[in-house]
Amino acid sequence: MPNLKKHGLLDESRGGERRTDSNDQRDSNEVNQLRKLGLRYACDFDVLVIAKGLKKRQGTKVKSIDISSTGLLVEFNPTANLFNVGDTVELRFEIPPGTMPEGMESSVKIEAIVDRECQHQHDGQEMWVVAFTFVKPLTDYLQKKRWGYTTLIASTLLLMAILFIILMRVESVIYFKYNKVLYLYSLLAASFLLTRYLFGAFYRNVKINPDYTPGVSIIIPCFNEEEWIQRTIISCMNQDYPIDKLEVIVVDDQSTDRTVEQIYKAVEGLNKEAEHYLTKDRLHVHVLKENGGKRVALVQGVEMAQHDLVVFVDSDSFLEPNAIINLVQPFQDPKMGGVAGRTDVENKYTNFITKLQTVRYYIAFRVMKAAESYFDCVTCLSGPLSCYRKELIVKHTDAWLNQKFLGQPATFGDDRSMTNYILKTHRTGYQDKAVCSTIVPSRIGVFLKQQMRWKRSWLRESLRAGTFIWRKELFMAFFFYIGLIVPIAAPIIVLYNMLYVPIVYGVIPTTFMMGLLLMALLMSLSYLFFRKSKLWVFGFVFCAFYELVLLWQMPIAWVTFWKSTWGTRDTPQDVEARNKKLVKKQKKNSIALNSRQ
């Protein structure tokens, strides 16, 4: 059974309540920031405690137990008589990556006050601990010591990189007549990239109107997600939103593992520990009679939904407490049909595969989607967290469920597909402060299969969008078509520059390679500017990995984008494809056996 206090549902610092009054005038984002200041994180790093007036070598090394932005808890020997309650000491320690929120990994030298000494139970054992309260919060300390300088350096280098790109494109204009196709491509690619960053910088989150809290139904489709489904459900219930206007619907697509069992455990725990949240009336579970796919599960949830706005949440995604209140704000515009939230990577520190995805995800949302949102024309309301008007989902249900491309059923790319239906008649937006985190692939094989699936759906749905996007804002439409051409043509351009030019002309393509470096610089420095994180260097890693590996999936996607298999889960199409391969292999073995006889 889940521990609800651990997951933050029972917030005792706020009387155990979550926006039960629609007239509550609190700023949810401000409340969420205060909540984060109080969150404590388990840790196990060394801390050097130096009493006032002593030198570093006279300090005492202790082991940390947990840390927050405002204080630190450490284990100590009470017989040592090191310090007294009320003493001011200096603490020196290194916050390892992954211990606290991203950007807080740093060396720290900060003054603190001994708050209390007591016995504490940790991992089933009694120990003496001392609690320190920092003289200033870690956020203020890091803002002065590191974040401020980081922002200045990142913004300066960003400006220099942009100016250098512009100068290089001036060169393309000068030499345009010598190779019109190549230099036209380079001008289009640079224009597309710079405008994304430009309009991403202009983007602003729609502010919270405390009087606007429409009814919302959160729908969680799940299939074989036993590890994460409980946490997903709890995060969806744990929202700073009026409880009479929020329901959660979990639809299981005939999972073959213990997912359903874990769902009911979460429901039981919520009903037992949080009964005053009316969980029995607001949390519903439905198990499909047969496996129908993600779209069928979502449609079933929509049919069960009682409210006019429906939120789709992936079963391995976890919402911040203020996600829903932020996500619904753009719907004050009656022409707004759908809104995407921001998706961060939850397992960012697992390995280099998850680290490079961390940078890519953030730039894809905070820059690319933000730029599209400036024109109310977001082309993909991403699956981990997106909100729609229920009437529009109902209107397009039949077409969405029965969508085919070149005679094959479209089983993946459900988010891009529904976005296209919405975009034809309505606006779409992005809310950067509506945040969820998701589990991304940590194994290279699974990651490559996911990327191939995404490229196929991107190509299929971009071709669909291209038939009507010109009716939208003209500037946005122009760069949409450029954004379609540039990735498709990229493999040819790379081959020409990196192989044909050196072999035929004996020239090293330094200008082209400089362009790739500047592209990586824009991604990495933007990440550093926004996140102040040491993971910024993985922007370079991602760009290198993209050029060496991911780019060459595009030609395969050209000739296989009608395929309907996921590759990473057993959908009916995957099972059918695997059975066909098995039959083909058996026939081949049979023929080989007969030939030997």
Side-chain angles (χ1 to χ4, degrees), residues 459-470:
L459 189 55
R460 182 190 75 212
E461 297 303 329
S462 293
L463 292 175
R464 278 186 62 207
T467 63
F468 65 83
I469 205 78
W470 56 272

Side-chain angles (χ1 to χ4, degrees), residues 59-329:
T60 303
K61 187 177 289 187
V62 295
K63 185 69 72 173
S64 63
I65 298 174
D66 69 47
I67 186 172
S68 73
S69 291
T70 56
L72 180 70
L73 192 68
V74 303
E75 181 183 0
F76 83 113
N77 182 356
T79 62
N81 195 26
L82 300 176
F83 24 67
N84 299 311
V85 173
D87 287 353
T88 299
V89 298
E90 181 182 281
L91 302 179
R92 298 187 183 186
F93 52 90
E94 179 91 21
I95 303 175
T99 301
M100 297 188 75
E102 188 184 359
M104 300 191 77
E105 59 279 5
S106 182
S107 296
V108 176
K109 185 168 66 174
I110 191 170
E111 283 193 349
I113 298 172
V114 180
D115 188 63
R116 66 186 183 278
E117 298 176 2
C118 61
Q119 279 190 309
H120 177 76
Q121 185 149 355
H122 181 67
D123 290 338
Q125 294 183 346
E126 290 287 337
M127 62 176 65
W128 278 93
V129 298
V130 59
F132 296 100
T133 299
F134 301 136
V135 172
K136 65 172 79 170
L138 275 180
T139 47
D140 292 349
Y141 172 86
L142 291 173
Q143 179 63 41
K144 181 179 179 180
K145 294 292 184 179
R146 187 165 74 85
W147 291 347
Y149 298 112
T150 298
T151 302
L152 178 62
I153 293 171
S155 57
T156 302
L157 293 176
L158 263 174
L159 181 60
M160 292 173 63
I162 290 170
L163 291 175
F164 204 85
I165 291 174
I166 293 173
L167 287 174
M168 290 181 66
R169 296 296 68 87
V170 171
E171 179 191 43
S172 297
V173 173
I174 295 173
Y175 292 102
F176 185 78
K177 61 182 179 181
Y178 297 108
N179 194 327
K180 294 180 180 179
V181 174
L182 181 63
Y183 286 116
L184 177 61
Y185 178 88
S186 111
L187 286 168
L188 290 176
S191 299
F192 174 78
L193 194 63
L194 291 178
T195 55
R196 297 303 88 187
Y197 282 89
L198 175 65
F199 289 107
F202 288 159
Y203 164 83
R204 294 294 180 270
N205 201 78
V206 178
K207 292 183 179 179
I208 292 176
N209 175 2
D211 295 324
Y212 184 72
T213 52
V216 175
S217 298
I218 300 176
I219 301 168
I220 309 171
C222 60
F223 178 78
N224 289 358
E225 205 67 72
E226 63 179 352
E227 184 175 2
W228 303 113
I229 187 62
Q230 287 198 32
R231 184 176 170 189
T232 300
I233 293 170
I234 291 170
S235 75
C236 289
M237 293 293 287
N238 181 31
Q239 288 299 305
D240 190 6
Y241 207 79
I243 61 174
D244 60 327
K245 295 183 179 181
L246 182 71
E247 67 172 347
V248 176
I249 302 169
V250 187
V251 183
D252 181 78
D253 191 20
Q254 275 295 314
S255 294
T256 57
D257 62 359
R258 297 173 58 247
T259 296
V260 175
E261 178 185 338
Q262 295 302 316
I263 291 171
Y264 282 113
K265 278 186 178 180
V267 172
E268 180 186 352
L270 287 163
N271 290 339
K272 182 178 180 180
E273 296 187 39
E275 186 177 357
H276 61 290
Y277 291 115
L278 307 179
T279 53
K280 291 183 180 179
D281 299 325
R282 300 192 301 118
L283 178 56
H284 314 287
V285 179
H286 180 78
V287 180
L288 294 179
K289 293 181 179 179
E290 60 181 14
N291 181 274
K294 186 176 180 180
R295 298 190 192 198
V296 172
L298 287 169
V299 168
Q300 180 63 52
V302 171
E303 291 176 354
M304 295 173 62
Q306 301 176 24
H307 299 300
D308 293 333
L309 293 181
V310 291
V311 174
F312 293 167
V313 175
D314 280 351
S315 53
D316 58 354
S317 298
F318 321 116
L319 276 57
E320 288 287 307
N322 62 338
I324 298 301
I325 188 67
N326 277 285
L327 192 63
V328 302
Q329 296 308 308

